[in-house]
């Protein structure tokens, strides 16, 4: 693995297996390539729950063989599925840690979580996400520095925002920061990653709907929910600046690859920045198609 310096938690590491009073929740569908590594890396948690939405591969048998509780639930959307998990009666702890199937936890992160949960006054914790893309840690291009995600939550004070994609935890209480990162390293390959992002683009187009006037965007920014855990700079760039830029795909590529130094991540960084520009072009193309179809129906 290139420039990562971490490895997944494994037998013999601290904290001991099933010693931390937290429930790890993993949402799955056809994740047999990733699920064993993921669950092995959270073996320190007292409970692991896999919520599966119709896998046709060996995801469920593998999860059960590794001691996870499996709940089958048809897909409710990203926010809906996580909200379902928060209210699930099978969950034995109020502290829930959401880990994606293609992610893994290092011994250092596991030990930090165990330590921070002892006597904390926080209602949730955020940490950064280390993305490994084409065997390279994507450290630059603005991705890693802005990758803070709230995953470890006290379900008594947490709800999800209902977004179709890019769902966020809304937390009623203090949110602490963890020093160690979770690692996102999908084993299903580039073709799977691209197909997944086409689906994300379709959801993003539906989420955005019609363009929002500048005055309305500013009003939403000023009255945004205090539970919005995104860094302020990211909110300003994404919600206020980016929507008014011309040639957004090109602007995004230049910003990520040149301004935020994605070029330092080598060939993988070039492809990563290009594919994110392609993703933006896909969203814009879908929005244009939807607008044209709407006009045709009104004629």
């Amino acid at each position: 693995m290139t420039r990562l310096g971490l490895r997944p938690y494994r037998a013999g590491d601290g904290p001991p297996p099933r010693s931390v009073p937290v429930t790890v929740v993993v949402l799955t569908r056809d994740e047999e390539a990733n699920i064993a590594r993921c669950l092995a890396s959270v073996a320190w948690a007292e409970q692991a729950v896999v919520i599966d939405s119709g896998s046709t591969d060996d995801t469920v048998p593998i999860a059960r063989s590794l001691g996870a509780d499996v709940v089958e639930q048809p897909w409710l959307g990203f926010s809906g599925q996580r909200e379902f998990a928060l209210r699930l009666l099978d969950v034995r702890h109020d502290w829930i840690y959401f880990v994606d199937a293609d992610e893994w936890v290092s011994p250092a992160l596991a030990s930090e979580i165990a330590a921070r949960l002892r006597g904390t006054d926080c209602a949730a914790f955020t940490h950064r996400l280390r993305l490994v893309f084409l065997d390279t840690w994507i450290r630059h291009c603005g991705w890693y520095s802005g990758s803070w995600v709230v995953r470890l939550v006290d379900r008594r004070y947490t709800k999800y925002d209902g977004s179709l994609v890019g769902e966020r935890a809304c937390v009623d209480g203090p949110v602490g920061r963890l020093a160690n990162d979770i690692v996102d390293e999908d084993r299903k390959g580039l073709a799977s990653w691209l197909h997944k992002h086409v689906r994300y683009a379709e959801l993003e187009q539906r989420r955005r709907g019609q363009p929002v006037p500048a005055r309305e965007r500013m009003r939403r920014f000023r009255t945004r929910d205090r539970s919005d855990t995104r860094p302020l700079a990211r909110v300003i760039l994404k919600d206020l600046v980016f929507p008014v830029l011309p040639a957004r795909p090109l602007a995004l590529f230049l910003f990520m690859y040149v301004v935020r130094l994605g070029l330092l991540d080598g060939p993988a960084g070039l492809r990563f920045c290009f594919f994110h520009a392609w993703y933006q072009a896909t969203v814009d193309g879908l929005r244009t198609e939807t607008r044209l179809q709407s006009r045709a129906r009104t004629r």
Side-chain angles (χ1 to χ4, degrees), residues 64-124:
R64 287 189 172 131
S65 73
L66 294 172
D69 299 325
V70 176
V71 177
E72 298 191 27
Q73 169 61 45
W75 185 243
L76 300 170
F78 290 101
S79 284
Q81 206 78 347
R82 293 190 190 275
E83 188 67 27
F84 171 83
L86 290 179
R87 314 306 162 203
L88 191 62
L89 294 178
D90 294 352
V91 167
R92 297 197 289 266
H93 300 283
D94 287 326
W95 278 102
I96 294 180
Y97 186 31
F98 286 102
V99 178
D100 289 348
D102 57 2
E103 296 171 346
W104 53 262
V105 175
S106 68
L109 177 56
S111 296
E112 183 180 13
I113 289 173
R116 294 295 297 273
L117 288 183
R118 290 196 290 267
T120 182
D121 59 356
C122 291

Side-chain angles (χ1 to χ4, degrees), residues 220-280:
R220 292 181 185 180
F221 171 74
R222 290 173 175 168
T223 60
R224 71 189 187 281
D225 196 321
R226 290 183 179 180
S227 63
D228 188 340
T229 55
R230 294 178 297 169
L232 180 60
R234 187 170 186 175
V235 175
I236 293 172
L237 285 172
K238 186 172 182 179
D239 296 353
L240 297 180
V241 177
F242 190 67
V244 300
L245 290 178
R248 283 191 295 269
L250 178 59
L252 180 62
F253 175 80
L254 293 175
F255 177 75
M256 294 178 68
Y257 191 67
V258 179
V259 178
R260 298 306 302 270
L261 300 179
L263 56 91
L264 296 181
D265 290 322
L270 173 61
R271 291 184 174 91
F272 185 76
C273 295
F274 170 80
F275 285 134
H276 272 270
W278 161 82
Y279 172 80
Q280 181 60 50

Side-chain angles (χ1 to χ4, degrees), residues 85-287:
L86 290 179
R87 314 306 162 203
L88 191 62
L89 294 178
D90 294 352
V91 167
R92 297 197 289 266
H93 300 283
D94 287 326
W95 278 102
I96 294 180
Y97 186 31
F98 286 102
V99 178
D100 289 348
D102 57 2
E103 296 171 346
W104 53 262
V105 175
S106 68
L109 177 56
S111 296
E112 183 180 13
I113 289 173
R116 294 295 297 273
L117 288 183
R118 290 196 290 267
T120 182
D121 59 356
C122 291
F125 289 93
T126 181
H127 56 39
R128 284 190 291 194
L129 185 151
R130 290 197 190 194
L131 175 65
V132 178
F133 181 76
L134 299 180
D135 200 35
T136 300
W137 171 20
I138 301 299
R139 190 171 184 173
H140 303 93
C141 78
W143 184 263
Y144 177 63
S145 62
S147 68
W148 292 95
V149 289
V150 175
R151 294 285 193 81
L152 181 60
V153 301
D154 186 329
R155 64 174 174 168
R156 295 171 296 181
Y157 308 108
T158 305
K159 63 180 180 180
Y160 276 85
D161 65 355
S163 297
L164 292 171
V165 66
E167 73 285 358
R168 295 195 302 272
C170 301
V171 181
D172 184 14
V175 178
R177 283 194 170 192
L178 301 177
N180 290 282
D181 309 326
I182 195 167
V183 179
D184 181 343
E185 185 182 12
D186 196 344
R187 289 174 164 173
K188 290 190 289 186
L190 180 59
S192 174
W193 190 91
L194 292 171
H195 284 297
K196 178 173 67 176
H197 280 76
V198 170
R199 296 193 297 272
Y200 287 172
E202 293 174 326
L203 293 172
E204 181 68 15
Q205 181 271 327
R206 287 170 53 192
R207 185 187 70 83
R208 293 186 190 180
Q210 296 301 315
V212 178
R215 182 176 295 179
E216 176 62 16
R217 289 199 306 275
M218 182 60 70
R219 186 195 67 79
R220 292 181 185 180
F221 171 74
R222 290 173 175 168
T223 60
R224 71 189 187 281
D225 196 321
R226 290 183 179 180
S227 63
D228 188 340
T229 55
R230 294 178 297 169
L232 180 60
R234 187 170 186 175
V235 175
I236 293 172
L237 285 172
K238 186 172 182 179
D239 296 353
L240 297 180
V241 177
F242 190 67
V244 300
L245 290 178
R248 283 191 295 269
L250 178 59
L252 180 62
F253 175 80
L254 293 175
F255 177 75
M256 294 178 68
Y257 191 67
V258 179
V259 178
R260 298 306 302 270
L261 300 179
L263 56 91
L264 296 181
D265 290 322
L270 173 61
R271 291 184 174 91
F272 185 76
C273 295
F274 170 80
F275 285 134
H276 272 270
W278 161 82
Y279 172 80
Q280 181 60 50
T282 303
V283 173
D284 289 349
L286 290 170
R287 295 182 80 185

